[in-house]
């Protein structure tokens, strides 16, 4: 194998490794973004009462219905000042955390 082939192989390996790392990093950023969006949503919902058992699906979905690039679905339990609890589901913008929809489940 000559030097030219060795350089080509090394460059190919570098490109493959770089691509793989980019994919992993992008996935990690999206996972972290879901956590960030959940914190924003919990903060917004806390205006209605104490928020507990809050969750968010880490998978983004298309947000065309809400005029957004993508959204997250999630849910929580809210207890108001009278001690009344309600379970809700929500749809929030995956970039800003803006809540588009809240449905009361009980």
């Amino acid at each position: 194998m000559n030097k030219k082939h060795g350089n080509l192989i090394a460059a190919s390996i570098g490109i493959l490794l770089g691509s793989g790392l980019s994919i992993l990093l992008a996935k990690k950023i999206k996972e972290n973004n879901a956590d960030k969006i959940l914190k924003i949503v919990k903060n917004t919902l806390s205006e209605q009462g104490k928020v507990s058992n809050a969750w968010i699906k880490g998978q983004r979905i298309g947000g065309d219905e809400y005029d957004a690039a993508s959204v997250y679905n999630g849910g929580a339990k809210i207890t108001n000042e009278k001690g009344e609890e309600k379970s809700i589901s929500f749809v929030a913008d995956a970039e800003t955390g803006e809540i588009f929809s809240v449905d009361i489940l009980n």
Side-chain angles (χ1 to χ4, degrees):
M1 176 165 60
N2 63 31
K3 185 175 182 179
K4 192 174 192 179
H5 284 93
N7 288 341
L8 183 58
I9 290 170
S12 297
I13 290 171
I15 289 170
L16 290 173
L17 286 174
S19 296
L21 289 174
S22 295
I23 291 168
L24 289 174
L25 183 59
K27 183 177 179 182
K28 189 65 175 172
I29 288 171
K30 283 185 179 182
E31 289 171 1
N32 288 340
N33 195 48
D35 292 337
K36 176 181 149 192
I37 297 302
L38 182 57
K39 286 181 185 177
I40 292 169
V41 169
K42 284 171 58 175
N43 186 47
T44 302
L45 293 173
S46 69
E47 296 170 6
Q48 303 300 314
K50 181 183 177 200
V51 178
S52 61
N53 299 331
W55 58 273
I56 194 166
K57 288 184 183 175
Q59 181 72 29
R60 293 177 181 215
I61 59 173
D64 294 339
E65 181 179 341
Y66 303 99
D67 197 28
S70 58
V71 297
Y72 286 119
N73 289 317
K77 185 182 290 185
I78 302 174
T79 306
N80 67 18
E81 66 278 352
K82 296 178 184 177
E84 301 166 333
E85 292 183 346
K86 59 184 170 184
S87 295
I88 58 105
S89 66
F90 65 83
V91 176
D93 187 299
E95 296 299 321
T96 66
E98 177 184 355
I99 299 173
F100 293 124
S101 171
V102 174
D103 293 318
I104 298 173
L105 303 175
N106 60 354

